Amino acid sequence: MASQDWINKDFYAILGVSKDASEEEIKKAYRKLARTYHPDKNPGDEAAEQKFKDVSEAHTVLSDKQQREQYDAIRAMGSGARFSGAPGGAGGASGFEDIFGGLFGDAGGFGRGGRGGPDFSDIFGGMGGRFGGGFSGGAPAKGADRTAKTTISFAGAVRGTTVGLREPDGNVIDVRIPAGVKEGQKVRVKGKGQQGPGGAGDLLVEVAITPHRFYERDGDDIRIHLPVSFDEAVLGTTVQVPTVHGEKVRIKVPAGTTSGRTLRLKGHGVRRKSHQGDMLVVVDVQVPQDLSEEAVEAVKAYAEATRDVDPRGDLEARAAL
């Protein structure tokens, strides 16, 4: 972010540190000032907002070894100096690895989010690479992106939901999770990142999804296992099954259906604006464990009636190498 503007800015004075201050001293001073002048704590205070921008710019330069050396050199050369090139650039994010991780007391992350929102450990950690504190092509650089993690239910991932993430100052950021979000996918919230001279960066929320005991996801399709009795599989039946959307639909199990056969219910999977997945119903034929004497006799009668049917008749032929 090397700039002619550096000549007229005393970053050491802005942070209140000496010119031979260590990295830790610079970081400590920045944290204290950023906590004092952060826009969220001074709503509508333009002077505080400008002060926050100044200390952020000062920290960005002085926390980066190369930029600090260039800054010191330019200041030493005086007002006639010119400098080109941008080793840090608007894309540099040096010094931001753990600024907000410790800015609010090194608590290791936030507490539980508002409105029943989840715990998240690193909303202010993992600064993005957009806060260089300088200018690119004359345009002020935006602030860095922030990152967070949240866990939502299986239903929330399929249908879409909104979670409230609570910041250390008590503010709650509402994050709309779109229907069909996948495990590990990141949702971007515009303008909720770190403040910079050119505006705020974004908040990137990584989504984790709690598995469901009944529904399984396969892309945009939803798979379930449907238990049916032996007689239902042989004779055929129509049964009612629940969907992830809270609906109850009827599905026909054809006569002679074998265990493992997959039946398809169109449009009852993940529903996006441009596409709808299906529900895949896997038939599991249940073998009874405890039969009454009458039922046992009935099974024996069935076996006698079908003694000419050999389900393994072609086994050797299929196993031949």
Side-chain angles (χ1 to χ4, degrees):
M1 187 211 71
S3 170
Q4 175 70 11
D5 292 341
W6 285 357
I7 296 172
N8 302 316
K9 294 181 179 180
D10 189 340
F11 292 146
Y12 294 102
I14 290 173
L15 292 180
V17 298
S18 65
K19 289 183 172 56
D20 59 354
S22 66
E23 291 183 9
E24 185 59 33
E25 289 173 327
I26 289 171
K27 183 182 294 185
K28 183 177 180 180
Y30 169 73
R31 288 176 173 174
K32 180 179 179 180
L33 292 170
R35 183 166 50 239
T36 300
Y37 295 108
H38 195 281
D40 289 346
K41 293 191 174 183
N42 301 274
D45 188 337
E46 294 184 1
E49 181 178 356
Q50 184 58 51
K51 185 68 174 177
F52 181 78
K53 293 177 181 178
D54 291 341
V55 298
S56 297
E57 182 182 9
H59 175 267
T60 301
V61 175
L62 298 184
S63 64
D64 182 276
K65 183 177 180 180
Q66 286 185 328
Q67 291 196 64
R68 183 176 181 179
E69 290 176 354
Q70 293 164 5
Y71 170 74
D72 289 341
I74 290 174
R75 292 275 295 178
M77 289 192 301
S79 60
R82 294 290 186 272
F83 197 89
S84 62
S94 300
F96 281 86
E97 301 83 18
D98 63 341
I99 288 171
F100 282 91
L103 180 58
F104 297 101
D106 290 313
F110 284 102
R112 182 158 295 277
R115 308 177 191 173
D119 290 332
F120 46 13
S121 60
D122 194 26
I123 194 167
F124 281 110
M127 287 297 181
R130 297 201 296 150
F131 191 93
F135 298 88
S136 176
K142 283 190 175 183
D145 290 342
R146 298 189 294 172
T147 61
K149 294 181 180 180
T150 190
T151 300
I152 62 175
S153 67
F154 189 91
V158 172
R159 305 176 193 172
T161 188
T162 298
V163 297
L165 304 184
R166 186 179 298 278
E167 299 193 78
D169 60 8
N171 288 336
V172 175
I173 299 176
D174 287 329
V175 181
R176 190 183 71 81
I177 309 296
V181 68
K182 297 180 179 179
E183 177 76 24
Q185 185 175 339
K186 293 181 179 180
V187 176
R188 183 181 295 271
V189 185
K190 293 286 188 180
K192 294 300 182 180
Q194 173 66 8
Q195 186 66 39
D202 301 332
L203 172 64
L204 303 177
V205 182
E206 183 177 338
V207 178
I209 302 169
T210 303
H212 196 276
R213 63 182 179 274
F214 180 63
Y215 299 107
E216 300 174 19
R217 184 168 175 180
D218 183 0
D220 283 344
D221 293 333
I222 299 295
R223 179 179 287 104
I224 68 170
H225 286 260
L226 176 67
V228 299
S229 64
F230 174 74
D231 58 288
E232 288 175 329
V234 172
L235 303 175
T237 187
T238 298
V239 297
Q240 183 172 271
V241 295
T243 77
V244 289
H245 301 287
E247 305 156 344
K248 293 182 178 179
V249 296
R250 297 181 70 78
I251 186 170
K252 182 178 181 180
V253 179
T257 294
T258 56
S259 192
R261 179 177 177 179
T262 299
L263 309 174
R264 185 180 296 267
L265 286 170
K266 300 287 289 185
H268 288 283
V270 177
R271 294 170 179 169
R272 304 177 187 269
K273 290 182 179 179
S274 59
H275 174 72
Q276 290 189 350
D278 302 330
M279 189 159 81
L280 308 178
V281 181
V282 182
V283 176
D284 288 341
V285 179
Q286 303 295 295
V287 178
Q289 301 298 311
D290 298 312
L291 295 177
S292 65
E293 184 176 339
E294 181 182 4
V296 170
E297 292 302 319
V299 172
K300 290 181 178 179
Y302 167 79
E304 178 63 23
T306 58
R307 63 180 181 277
D308 294 331
V309 178
D310 186 358
R312 295 173 294 280
D314 63 344
L315 189 62
E316 290 188 8
R318 288 190 290 120
L321 300 176

